[in-house]
Amino acid sequence: MIETPRLILRRFTLADAPAMRTYRNTPAIARYQAWRSPLTHEDAEHQVLLYAKQEPAEAGWFQYAVEHKGTGHLAGDLGVRLDDDLLQAEIGFTLAPAFQRQGYGTEMVLSILDHLFAQGMRRVYAECDIRNTRSAALLERTGFRHEGTRTRPTININTGERTDMTLYELSHHQRTA
């Protein structure tokens, strides 16, 4: 568990499924994501049960539930994929519409960066749909630098749109400089 002044990053529970389903089914959010939408109630429950079994210190994905301290509501989620060498990680994030544009995204990303670099991570990277300018701005605000654009088209699973992906990275050295 990771705590910030306003958020708790924790393991998912079954009780998180309805809220996750609601924000992940929001078309403006699902448009830029790799999960299939819309999620049914059963799909959401299955997904959070899978997330609950993941291990944050092992190679592979761990999905944090992002809880708002003041209300206890699920504000979003943040995924971390540790590379096999446990020295690099990829992150991805989603915020429910009610929690956007209030600094929560910056707070959760900075907290996971602090956590990962304190554990000895050497590099953290992220990618986003090139049209997702708000996520790109969040990455830049938290210290990531634009590394390039993957120009071979990616097909969005929900919309069928072809899009390029923009790549970002932040090294331990850059973070501490």
Side-chain angles (χ1 to χ4, degrees):
M1 183 168 60
I2 301 166
E3 290 195 45
T4 73
R6 302 182 296 166
L7 302 171
I8 300 170
L9 281 66
R10 58 164 174 78
R11 188 176 293 275
F12 266 92
T13 68
L14 191 56
D16 295 318
M20 185 190 77
R21 178 177 178 244
T22 298
Y23 68 76
R24 284 194 170 191
N25 281 343
T26 304
I29 291 174
R31 177 179 186 200
Y32 299 122
Q33 301 297 336
W35 64 73
R36 192 165 300 281
S37 182
L39 287 174
T40 65
H41 177 75
E42 293 78 20
D43 292 337
E45 285 186 345
H46 177 73
Q47 197 63 52
V48 298
L49 289 174
L50 287 176
Y51 291 157
K53 293 177 184 175
Q54 296 171 331
E55 291 301 326
E58 294 178 3
W61 281 102
F62 182 81
Q63 203 75 19
Y64 288 92
V66 179
E67 178 184 319
H68 182 257
K69 277 185 177 178
T71 63
H73 292 130
L74 189 65
D77 55 271
L78 186 146
V80 176
R81 187 183 64 78
L82 298 179
D83 286 2
D84 289 338
D85 63 9
L86 302 180
L87 296 174
Q88 298 185 90
E90 177 179 7
I91 66 166
F93 44 82
T94 305
L95 274 177
F99 294 93
Q100 293 178 6
R101 297 179 182 243
Q102 299 172 64
Y104 292 111
T106 300
E107 191 171 325
M108 76 176 176
V109 170
L110 289 175
S111 72
I112 201 65
L113 291 173
D114 289 345
H115 176 75
L116 292 170
F117 287 128
Q119 290 185 346
M121 203 62 48
R122 306 312 305 157
R123 178 177 175 265
V124 178
Y125 56 96
E127 68 177 30
C128 64
D129 184 307
I130 200 164
R131 300 165 300 172
N132 191 346
T133 56
R134 290 175 58 198
S135 286
L138 171 56
L139 290 166
E140 291 172 8
R141 222 177 12 260
T142 55
F144 284 80
R145 71 176 177 87
H146 184 254
E147 194 173 53
T149 302
R150 195 160 22 114
T151 56
R152 65 184 163 89
T154 298
I155 299 175
N156 182 290
I157 194 168
N158 292 307
T159 65
E161 298 171 292
R162 290 189 177 272
T163 184
D164 294 342
M165 300 299 282
T166 187
L167 311 171
Y168 288 88
E169 69 93 25
L170 179 63
S171 70
H172 180 264
H173 172 74
Q174 292 165 319
R175 177 92 166 132
T176 57

